[in-house]
Amino acid sequence: MSTYAQKKGFGATIWDYLTTVDHKKIAILYLIAGGFFFIVGGLEAMFIRIQLAVPNNDFVSAGLYNEILTMHGTTMIFLAAMPLVFAMMNAVMPLQIGARDVAFPYLNSLGFWLFFFGGVFLNLSWFLGGAPDAGWTSYASLSMESKGHGIDFYALGLQISGAGTLIGGINFLVTIVTMRAPGMTYMRMPLFTWSTFVVSALILFAFPPLTVGLFLMIFDRMFGANFFDVATGGNTIIWEHLFWIFGHPEVYILILPAFGIFSEIFATFSRKRLFGYSSMVFATVLIGFLGFMVWAHHMFTTGLGPIANAIFAVATMAIAVPTGIKIFNWMFTMWGGSIRFTTPMLYAVAFLPSFTAGGVTGIMLASAAADYQFHDTYFVVAHFHYVIVGGVVFGLLAGTTFYWPKMFGTMLNETLGKITFWLFLIGFHLTFFIQHFLGLMGMPRRVFTFLPGQGFETGNLVSTVGAFFMAVSTIILLINIIITSVQNKKVGNDPWGDGRTLEWAIPSPPPFYNFKQLPLVRGLDAYWLEKMEGKTEMTPAEPLGDIHMPNNSFIPFTTSLGLFVAAFGAMYHAEKSWGVTVIIIGLCITLGSMFVRSIKDDHGFHIHKEDLINEDKGGK
């Protein structure tokens, strides 16, 4: 019996997922972990909204509110949105380019486990003396004065997690450059693959500034350095620059994959080729490029001066142009199309006005003079939630529904999906639309309560009611997932019926080698072209032969675990006698794992041609 046949018989166990290097299983790990942190961040949001539902509320104390607020933002950006975006990229991009896996399967696994252990480390702060409390941006003037270890958890946790993201971005870049199927030129790549490509480049250049900033904060907090201590010649504003040089490209790191998902959905359910493909590619690249030229619009009130403010204001306004190109192209894709209002399509259509509203308020904030009025008010809170929720979360919910059958081979219930959509849409606008007016009336951000008679009562109560709508919709989504998983009704390779790209040409869920024979790509929307010629499968670009695949490995898990252990030692080294010992133990685990990987004679295994032929015949 071949290695392939032996491996196939055991099924997917917990051990299999702990050791997997298969991009599709890693996508499921990202989906589960990101979904869990999304729920955690959502609960933190509910605590915020309950606290602000009425004036002078004492649901939580001021100090705890600061911790909840900080952890909500940090969790949603770093531990929910990012991994869910990576789940979509892992699940779809290698299939769309006709690859059998990513370029570096072991690094793909390492990237996930680094993210996971970093996220767990950060959230353990709740149980070990208090969470970070300086806001999700953790400005140095606040974080240097924060008592306890909350900020240390923040800096070390994000450092570990960010390393995983950086590794993942490099991996995706190399995969797209080197592993496209024969005939898959750059201008034949689907828009989701293009967005993955640009986002991976953004990650490559945006995460190092965050890494540097976090290192400086770690050395200030734990080892007595003075990078941010003004009294000893440091500069707190340097943290803001380092953070936002990462932080504004991060917005596009999150939103561009959502744009890619919507591009696939609009074309699929309008039964039309995406309008203006070339201009969409150009707009995606231009957004990535301009994303690095706008960071200081977060800092208009720090005293950079009128020239710097003007430059960043103009750049911020300019970045709206390629986004506007995309909005019109999506609308023209629907124009004259045979539209089917499935659950993913409902999210896509609702995204257009929701995200556009966030973009319009972004242009308002881009005016430095106006920003002096809006800055640090609830107007800004409303703006970025319209962008992040109205764009990224809508995209992730749409993508999860759209690609669920490809990932799991089952179809989420459409009725429950539409109920989830309408509740979430109504709740989203109820929660955040009114916050624009709260901000214009003068309600500041990050306050844990407000006084009666200031005019904020009605707006905050409406906002809290909307948050409960979103919470109920999330619960219905979970019920939908459970019901679908229990019923386990299998679907075919193209369950939506109008699939256009390569991922819909193979079984659902795909075999772990993806393609028996690499496909020949003859144009944009490669699978649609084959269907139009009456074919049900892609034209192969190679004869049937043996397929080489990598073995599973426990090493990425142990490498990440070692850094997780070492982080505890680093945090407590100054006050606990065992701190340095724990650092050494953790680093030994990590370095030992890497050494084992380097000397291990692991050439993977072959799936033999005979096994593939027997599989076609229904054999084992």
Side-chain angles (χ1 to χ4, degrees):
M1 185 181 287
S2 73
T3 311
Y4 165 57
Q6 289 173 347
K7 284 181 175 290
K8 190 179 176 187
F10 286 105
T13 60
I14 291 177
W15 177 257
D16 189 30
Y17 274 90
L18 287 175
T19 60
T20 187
V21 297
D22 180 358
H23 72 93
K24 297 174 294 298
K25 289 180 179 175
I26 291 171
I28 293 170
L29 288 172
Y30 271 117
L31 190 68
I32 293 169
F36 170 76
F37 285 123
F38 182 80
I39 292 169
V40 171
L43 288 172
E44 289 159 351
M46 293 307 299
F47 292 146
I48 292 169
R49 287 313 324 159
I50 292 170
Q51 169 64 20
L52 292 174
V54 294
N56 283 332
N57 200 354
D58 59 356
F59 178 70
V60 295
S61 66
L64 180 57
Y65 180 86
N66 284 343
E67 294 179 11
I68 294 170
L69 186 78
T70 300
M71 287 298 286
H72 164 67
T74 306
T75 299
M76 284 303 201
I77 296 293
F78 293 102
L79 307 181
M82 279 300 299
L84 290 172
V85 161
F86 266 63
M88 296 293 113
M89 290 177 175
N90 264 297
V92 178
M93 181 275 290
L95 305 181
Q96 284 195 333
I97 64 172
R100 292 205 169 98
D101 207 322
V102 295
F104 306 114
Y106 292 97
L107 282 184
N108 202 16
S109 176
L110 178 62
F112 168 77
W113 289 113
L114 284 170
F115 143 72
F116 178 76
F117 279 113
V120 169
F121 183 85
L122 177 56
N123 276 274
L124 284 175
S125 61
W126 287 114
F127 310 101
L128 296 172
D133 57 0
W136 83 277
T137 57
S138 204
Y139 278 6
S141 51
L142 295 173
S143 57
M144 290 302 105
E145 298 300 320
S146 177
K147 306 300 180 186
H149 283 294
I151 301 298
D152 304 330
F153 276 105
Y154 174 96
L156 290 164
L158 291 189
Q159 196 72 287
I160 296 169
S161 190
T165 304
L166 184 59
I167 287 170
I170 294 169
N171 203 352
F172 289 147
L173 265 181
V174 177
T175 301
I176 294 171
V177 170
T178 64
M179 297 187 68
R180 286 168 286 124
M184 177 70 77
T185 62
Y186 282 106
M187 293 309 289
R188 289 178 178 176
M189 295 196 313
L191 250 295
F192 182 73
T193 297
W194 260 112
S195 67
T196 303
F197 184 64
V198 173
V199 161
S200 300
L202 291 181
I203 288 171
L204 183 63
F205 291 105
F207 268 76
L210 178 67
T211 301
V212 170
L214 289 171
F215 265 126
L216 299 184
M217 183 173 285
I218 288 168
F219 276 90
D220 266 20
R221 292 265 314 178
M222 297 179 219
F223 303 105
N226 296 302
F227 295 108
F228 304 125
D229 185 358
V230 177
T232 55
N235 189 337
T236 62
I237 300 298
I238 294 300
W239 167 266
E240 294 188 33
H241 280 292
L242 288 169
F243 184 88
W244 289 118
I245 289 171
F246 148 80
H248 206 86
E250 169 71 4
V251 174
Y252 302 108
I253 289 169
L254 296 177
I255 197 63
L256 284 176
F259 286 175
I261 290 167
F262 286 129
S263 296
E264 307 297 333
I265 289 171
F266 279 121
T268 299
F269 296 115
S270 299
R271 291 179 61 86
K272 276 180 64 183
R273 176 172 287 189
L274 190 69
F275 184 91
Y277 171 84
S278 298
S279 64
M280 291 287 267
V281 171
F282 172 74
T284 303
V285 174
L286 187 58
I287 288 171
F289 180 74
L290 292 175
F292 283 98
M293 307 173 105
V294 298
W295 81 86
H297 69 210
H298 296 272
M299 302 167 60
F300 281 151
T301 60
T302 57
L304 296 176
I307 295 175
N309 281 0
I311 290 169
F312 283 100
V314 170
T316 305
M317 294 176 187
I319 207 167
V321 175
T323 308
I325 291 171
K326 286 177 168 289
I327 297 287
F328 281 107
N329 279 355
W330 288 319
M331 293 170 68
F332 286 134
T333 301
M334 290 189 289
W335 184 269
S338 178
I339 299 175
R340 289 169 53 208
F341 284 105
T342 59
T343 302
M345 190 62 167
L346 288 174
Y347 280 112
V349 172
F351 150 80
L352 291 175
S354 302
F355 184 80
T356 301
V360 167
T361 53
I363 296 301
M364 295 170 68
L365 289 162
S367 170
D371 187 74
Y372 274 74
Q373 169 70 24
F374 303 135
H375 192 78
D376 268 345
T377 71
Y378 258 75
F379 188 89
V380 180
V381 178
H383 155 69
F384 71 69
H385 280 91
Y386 261 79
V387 171
I388 299 296
V389 182
V392 179
V393 177
F394 275 30
L396 291 171
L397 290 171
T400 300
T401 310
F402 186 52
Y403 287 117
W404 189 272
K406 184 52 58 180
M407 293 177 72
F408 297 98
T410 58
M411 199 87 160
L412 290 172
N413 183 281
E414 272 287 281
T415 303
L416 288 176
K418 288 174 179 175
I419 293 171
T420 299
F421 162 75
W422 284 111
L423 283 174
F424 197 89
L425 179 71
I426 293 166
F428 161 66
H429 286 291
L430 270 179
T431 302
F432 298 111
F433 185 71
I434 203 161
Q435 289 183 5
H436 294 99
F437 302 99
L438 285 170
L440 293 175
M441 288 190 289
M443 183 171 172
R445 296 169 64 181
R446 306 185 182 97
V447 290
F448 90 106
T449 191
F450 56 94
L451 297 173
Q454 293 181 294
F456 303 150
E457 293 95 327
T458 304
N460 275 294
L461 184 59
V462 169
S463 192
T464 298
V465 170
F468 276 97
F469 270 80
M470 286 195 283
V472 172
S473 76
T474 306
I475 293 168
I476 293 173
L477 174 61
L478 292 173
I479 292 169
N480 193 356
I481 289 170
I482 292 167
I483 291 173
T484 302
S485 302
V486 170
Q487 291 178 341
N488 199 28
K489 294 179 182 176
K490 295 300 181 183
V491 295
N493 64 317
D494 186 14
W496 297 108
D498 297 310
R500 308 182 70 85
T501 43
L502 289 180
E503 71 268 27
W504 305 110
I506 57 177
S508 302
F512 71 96
Y513 50 79
N514 294 349
F515 297 89
K516 283 189 178 73
Q517 297 162 276
L518 294 183
L520 178 64
V521 176
R522 297 190 292 161
L524 187 63
D525 292 344
Y527 184 46
W528 186 260
L529 293 177
E530 302 289 334
K531 289 199 291 188
M532 289 302 98
E533 294 182 3
K535 299 176 183 177
T536 57
E537 295 183 353
M538 291 296 301
T539 302
E542 62 178 3
L544 187 65
D546 291 356
I547 298 174
H548 178 265
M549 297 298 291
N551 284 319
N552 284 1
S553 175
F554 197 56
I555 291 169
F557 181 91
T558 53
T559 302
S560 308
L561 177 65
L563 290 177
F564 174 78
V565 171
F568 278 104
M571 193 163 57
Y572 293 116
H573 81 284
E575 58 198 71
K576 306 282 188 183
S577 57
W578 45 260
V580 175
T581 305
V582 171
I583 294 176
I584 294 170
I585 292 171
L587 292 179
C588 285
I589 295 171
T590 295
L591 296 174
S593 298
M594 295 168 69
F595 179 70
V596 169
R597 172 79 184 112
S598 68
I599 64 170
K600 191 178 178 185
D601 184 21
D602 184 1
H603 296 298
F605 64 96
H606 278 81
I607 307 166
H608 299 303
K609 176 180 176 181
E610 294 76 18
D611 289 319
L612 297 172
I613 294 171
N614 289 336
E615 191 177 69
D616 277 339
K617 296 176 180 176
K620 299 295 182 185

